[in-house]
Amino acid sequence: MIKYRSMKNLSNKIIIVTGGSGLLGKSIIKQISMDGGISINLDIMSDSKYHTDFIKTDITNNISVDNAINIILDKYGRIDGLVNNAYPRTKDWGTDFENIKLSSWKKNIDLQLGNVFLCCKHVLEHMKKNKYGSIVNIASIYGVVGPEFSIYEGTSLTTPAAYSAIKGGVINFSRYLASYYGKHGLRINCISPGGIYNNQNKKFVSNYVKKVPLKRMGLPSDISPAVSFLLSDDSSYVTGQNLIVDGGWTCK
């Protein structure tokens, strides 16, 4: 049984989670709830398993995001936190590099980096009025180091080229925002997870585990407490940072 830690360090904070119906998003929402926060799930698809507000939102569409933000402000009057977790992508995601079409490359960068930009832009201007707020952008170890292609040997899996470009961009964009909005008391940080177990090919899992000092893949419940920490006042002097949660993958 997965155990979640709770310190109530998000008491009554209003926190948006994009892509809250996905594997990692559900864990983040559960952790926020256990830590006393009020989470709002912005997603195309609803997951009603956890007690949370849900607003059907296309986070790649400016009007849809603007409408969702206005609904939240009308109901709660403020936004204390944002987790950019959504992971929109095209149907050909995962194509080998030499077969990637320029149109697909552009579309994926626009979908993923674009939605982080869009949500940050909307939310930060409202946070600025209160001089308070924290944003956590979900990046990846592959935005920090190059991919280890040997772990995909013997499987049909790979890591898309755009993924590394996007996640590296998310990390440095977060640093930019932290510097730009610091004078307003706003904090922007990243979490870079290592590989998260999701019933992947057994050969891939075996290959991956051999490379990790802790000898296992990560779980969503390994990531969500770190997100909660960066959202909370426990990290009130932390901004512009990329917290790597990877079982030691990048330590070598």
Side-chain angles (χ1 to χ4, degrees), residues 124-198:
L124 282 165
E125 286 305 298
H126 291 288
M127 287 180 169
K128 189 168 72 172
K129 297 173 184 177
N130 294 328
K131 293 189 176 296
Y132 179 85
S134 174
I135 290 178
V136 179
N137 294 321
I138 303 300
S140 168
I141 55 171
Y142 280 177
V144 179
V145 297
E148 175 54 74
F149 285 100
S150 67
I151 64 175
Y152 305 107
E153 291 177 359
T155 78
S156 61
L157 302 174
T158 188
T159 183
Y163 185 78
S164 292
I166 291 162
K167 294 305 186 181
V170 167
I171 293 168
N172 237 29
F173 178 53
S174 300
R175 293 181 180 128
Y176 172 90
L177 292 176
S179 181
Y180 192 84
Y181 283 96
K183 64 185 178 183
H184 300 292
L186 309 184
R187 299 185 299 107
I188 298 90
N189 293 286
C190 286
I191 297 283
S192 281
I196 302 299
Y197 180 72
N198 188 23

Side-chain angles (χ1 to χ4, degrees), residues 9-247:
N9 55 355
L10 297 178
S11 183
N12 295 317
K13 292 187 185 299
I14 310 302
I15 300 168
I16 296 170
V17 180
T18 69
S21 299
L23 180 71
L24 187 54
K26 286 185 283 190
S27 181
I28 292 170
I29 282 175
K30 185 172 184 179
Q31 187 71 53
I32 290 170
S33 177
M34 292 188 68
D35 286 344
I38 299 168
S39 58
I40 299 99
N41 177 13
L42 303 192
D43 206 321
I44 290 290
M45 298 174 59
S46 174
D47 189 312
S48 59
K49 183 177 179 181
Y50 301 115
H51 296 292
T52 181
D53 284 349
F54 169 75
I55 303 174
K56 185 174 182 178
T57 310
D58 177 357
I59 48 85
T60 69
N61 181 281
N62 185 50
I63 294 174
S64 185
V65 172
D66 189 45
N67 288 340
I69 297 300
N70 287 332
I71 289 170
I72 294 165
L73 291 172
D74 286 344
K75 183 173 182 178
Y76 295 105
R78 70 183 198 280
I79 298 169
D80 300 311
L82 165 67
V83 183
N84 279 308
N85 168 72
Y87 186 34
R89 51 204 182 276
T90 59
K91 292 181 179 179
D92 63 348
W93 184 249
T95 300
D96 290 337
F97 178 74
E98 55 270 28
N99 297 321
I100 297 172
K101 295 179 179 179
L102 180 59
S103 58
S104 176
W105 173 270
K106 289 180 176 180
K107 183 67 173 178
N108 279 296
I109 288 178
D110 184 49
L111 285 172
Q112 295 189 41
L113 270 178
N115 92 76
V116 173
F117 163 81
L118 187 59
C119 292
C120 284
K121 192 171 189 295
H122 278 278
V123 169
L124 282 165
E125 286 305 298
H126 291 288
M127 287 180 169
K128 189 168 72 172
K129 297 173 184 177
N130 294 328
K131 293 189 176 296
Y132 179 85
S134 174
I135 290 178
V136 179
N137 294 321
I138 303 300
S140 168
I141 55 171
Y142 280 177
V144 179
V145 297
E148 175 54 74
F149 285 100
S150 67
I151 64 175
Y152 305 107
E153 291 177 359
T155 78
S156 61
L157 302 174
T158 188
T159 183
Y163 185 78
S164 292
I166 291 162
K167 294 305 186 181
V170 167
I171 293 168
N172 237 29
F173 178 53
S174 300
R175 293 181 180 128
Y176 172 90
L177 292 176
S179 181
Y180 192 84
Y181 283 96
K183 64 185 178 183
H184 300 292
L186 309 184
R187 299 185 299 107
I188 298 90
N189 293 286
C190 286
I191 297 283
S192 281
I196 302 299
Y197 180 72
N198 188 23
N199 297 307
Q200 292 98 332
N201 177 287
K202 290 182 180 180
K203 179 64 175 175
F204 167 78
V205 174
S206 176
N207 290 344
Y208 191 97
V209 166
K210 291 174 184 176
K211 301 283 184 178
V212 186
L214 290 184
K215 299 303 177 187
R216 68 175 178 87
M217 294 191 73
L219 298 172
S221 57
D222 292 317
I223 308 304
S224 50
V227 174
S228 185
F229 166 70
L230 289 176
L231 288 169
S232 77
D233 293 339
D234 292 340
S235 60
S236 61
Y237 201 54
V238 179
T239 193
Q241 302 304 305
N242 177 34
L243 177 55
I244 301 174
V245 186
D246 68 350

